[in-house]
Amino acid sequence: MAADAIQAARAAAHAELFAAKLAEMRPRFAATLVERLDHMEEMRDSPTLETNPAEAMELFKHYAHKTAGMAATMGFPELGELSFAAEAAVNSFLRRESGIGPALDAVDDMLGEMALIVENNT
């Protein structure tokens, strides 16, 4: 029984430490989102989207991939899902399996969620 209590205490201490580290990392992640959001909104509004859509989509894919990998861990599961969806939609466009419309819709959904997170966490 004593061993179980010690193990439970260790697990609780590890969980507390993990939660504290996440709380420390969340503001940095939100700050990173500001930069990503700015770059993607710039590209979304730039003439490059019409003149060289592949270049624009590569930027969206890059940021979607990077964001998807950390969003859920940082406590933003919806952003993680939207980022995975955006990356998949952009990949589909780049492979010429679909048009640009579905990819832009997915990117816009991701950007909207990013904007909400940035607004509420900075």
Side-chain angles (χ1 to χ4, degrees):
M1 247 352 197
D4 289 341
I6 292 171
Q7 187 174 7
R10 283 185 182 152
H14 282 101
E16 190 175 311
L17 180 62
F18 183 73
K21 281 290 185 191
L22 275 179
E24 180 183 313
M25 293 171 66
R26 270 184 85 138
R28 285 186 289 193
F29 180 73
T32 299
L33 288 182
V34 170
E35 182 180 316
R36 290 178 188 173
L37 182 61
D38 287 347
H39 285 138
M40 286 190 288
E41 285 180 336
E42 247 179 56
M43 182 61 80
R44 182 71 173 91
D45 296 335
S46 81
T48 303
L49 188 57
E50 288 191 31
T51 60
N52 190 351
E55 179 183 332
M57 288 298 169
E58 286 292 343
L59 176 82
F60 297 146
K61 176 182 157 181
H62 171 76
Y63 282 129
H65 180 80
K66 289 181 72 116
T67 303
M70 286 298 293
T73 302
M74 292 292 113
F76 305 108
E78 188 169 346
L79 177 59
E81 291 172 18
L82 291 170
S83 297
F84 278 121
E87 183 180 12
V90 168
N91 277 330
S92 182
F93 168 76
L94 291 171
R95 289 190 306 262
R96 298 191 173 144
E97 298 169 353
S98 68
I100 198 167
L104 288 177
D105 288 345
V107 167
D108 287 344
D109 290 344
M110 178 183 64
L111 293 177
E113 185 64 18
M114 277 184 170
L116 288 173
I117 291 168
V118 165
E119 183 179 307
N120 293 324
N121 290 280
T122 54

